Amino acid sequence: MTSHKFLFCLLVGLWGSLCAWAQETYRYAERDTSALYMDIFRPDSCAQTTYKGVAKPAILFVFGGGFSSGQRSDSNVRGWFRRLTADGYTVVAIDYRLGMKGYRMGRGLRGAVKALDRFLLSQQMGVEDVFSAISFLAAHPELNVPADNIVISGSSAGAIIALASAHAIANGLTDGLPQGFAFKGVMSFAGAIISKKGAPKFREAPCPLLLFHGTADKIVAYEHFGLPRRGIWGSSYLASKLKKQERNYNIWRFHGRGHEVAAYMDAMWNVERAFLEKNVILGTHSITDALVDDPSLPTWDSRGRVKTADLYK
């Protein structure tokens, strides 16, 4: 880099640190009388938007919140968005319909079965909204977010939607998508797939998957929760199936950790970056199955509580 360019980048960086972080907001769909919006965050002006000559993908982020709450660009995730844009990635954060908002679960087995069905409906609504967002980007090339180069990422409920979206595509359920569309990759933070037709299967090879999950997660199943044909199948189960099929996946298992792993986006940045560059951009078939025991990572307190803001630092 020349001295002039270095000085220019330095000045731009200093100016950016003093100014509000710019974002573009668009309404991408209207469903069930709900207007759905997306925020687009562009790469920093001096960031490298290619890796070894290949364009970096956009990161489509789906927020968490139990399908009942959450925001597309919550202040707690903006630090991670900044990290991505500083490294040359475009970030697209989307709304989706909250299928569990206002829902009150009944008692007993019947109440649990009805709740699971409602969660399944919420998952499907989220998938439909993700597909609408992709179609919107494809129909608006002037936004300069190539719809054929997107990695989907999600936290908790958002990770469930992300995995379910990739699962739907691998099984030919692509209504509402541009013809031939496929994600370049998935980054799932404490995600799973909800099903009432038995354990999820991938008819075709899915895109590369990066799975993060706590082995003691009691909110989103690490392995499987429910009945044999109706339940939630988590990251560990999915990894076991992907291993048998010799698919392109990485899983990071956090020993003894719970649902706080849903907020490990910043904490695992180096792993994400390596996955994006190696598995996604270069298309390398590389499998990692890691068991992590790191006391420095955020965790719940003795009462099972944690400040969300602390998790995203």
Side-chain angles (χ1 to χ4, degrees), residues 212 252-255 257 260-261 263-264 266-269 292-300 310-311 313:
F212 298 103
W252 292 71
R253 311 167 190 265
F254 295 86
H255 178 66
R257 294 305 173 100
E260 59 266 35
V261 175
Y264 277 8
D266 255 335
M268 300 306 294
W269 164 242
V292 181
D293 190 357
D294 184 351
S296 70
L297 292 169
T299 188
W300 304 109
D310 293 341
L311 289 176
K313 289 178 180 179

Side-chain angles (χ1 to χ4, degrees), residues 32-249:
D32 301 333
T33 71
S34 297
L36 301 176
Y37 291 86
M38 64 171 59
D39 294 333
I40 300 178
F41 302 88
R42 304 290 180 179
D44 290 1
S45 57
C46 293
Q48 181 60 257
T49 58
T50 62
Y51 179 73
K52 295 191 175 181
V54 181
K56 293 180 178 179
I59 310 299
L60 179 71
F61 179 70
V62 190
F63 63 85
F67 297 105
S68 62
S69 64
Q71 299 178 27
R72 64 182 182 271
S73 297
D74 191 279
S75 60
N76 294 321
V77 295
R78 289 202 172 206
W80 183 58
F81 289 177
R82 283 180 180 272
R83 191 184 289 272
L84 286 162
T85 57
D87 205 50
Y89 294 92
T90 296
V91 176
V92 181
I94 68 166
D95 286 334
Y96 60 92
R97 289 167 292 165
L98 301 174
M100 296 298 292
K101 189 172 184 178
Y103 181 80
R104 298 184 66 179
M105 189 172 78
R107 296 180 178 180
L109 179 60
R110 185 175 181 182
V113 170
K114 283 189 173 182
L116 187 61
D117 286 344
R118 185 62 178 256
F119 274 114
L120 179 61
L121 175 62
S122 301
Q123 173 185 270
Q124 184 55 39
M125 290 166 63
V127 171
E128 291 172 359
D129 294 342
V130 165
F131 286 5
S132 291
I134 297 297
S135 294
F136 176 83
L137 293 172
H140 293 276
E142 71 276 9
L143 297 181
N144 196 30
V145 183
D148 60 351
N149 193 19
I150 292 177
V151 168
I152 187 169
S153 179
S155 166
S156 190
I160 290 173
I161 292 171
L163 287 169
S165 297
H167 177 257
I169 292 170
N171 287 283
L173 305 175
T174 58
D175 287 350
L177 284 175
Q179 186 174 4
F181 174 83
F183 289 111
K184 293 296 184 180
V186 176
M187 296 193 297
S188 166
F189 296 84
I193 295 177
I194 306 168
S195 172
K196 63 176 182 180
K197 296 181 179 179
K201 300 177 181 178
F202 296 92
R203 191 178 72 190
E204 302 291 338
C207 59
L209 287 96
L210 176 59
L211 309 170
F212 298 103
H213 217 126
T215 63
D217 194 331
K218 296 181 180 179
I219 295 177
V220 175
Y222 167 67
E223 184 70 44
H224 171 241
F225 171 80
L227 302 173
R229 292 191 57 79
R230 185 190 296 259
I232 303 173
W233 282 265
S235 302
S236 182
Y237 175 86
L238 297 176
S240 68
K241 294 303 176 185
L242 293 167
K243 180 179 180 180
K244 290 180 180 178
Q245 297 175 339
E246 298 183 343
R247 304 306 191 193
N248 193 343
Y249 75 98

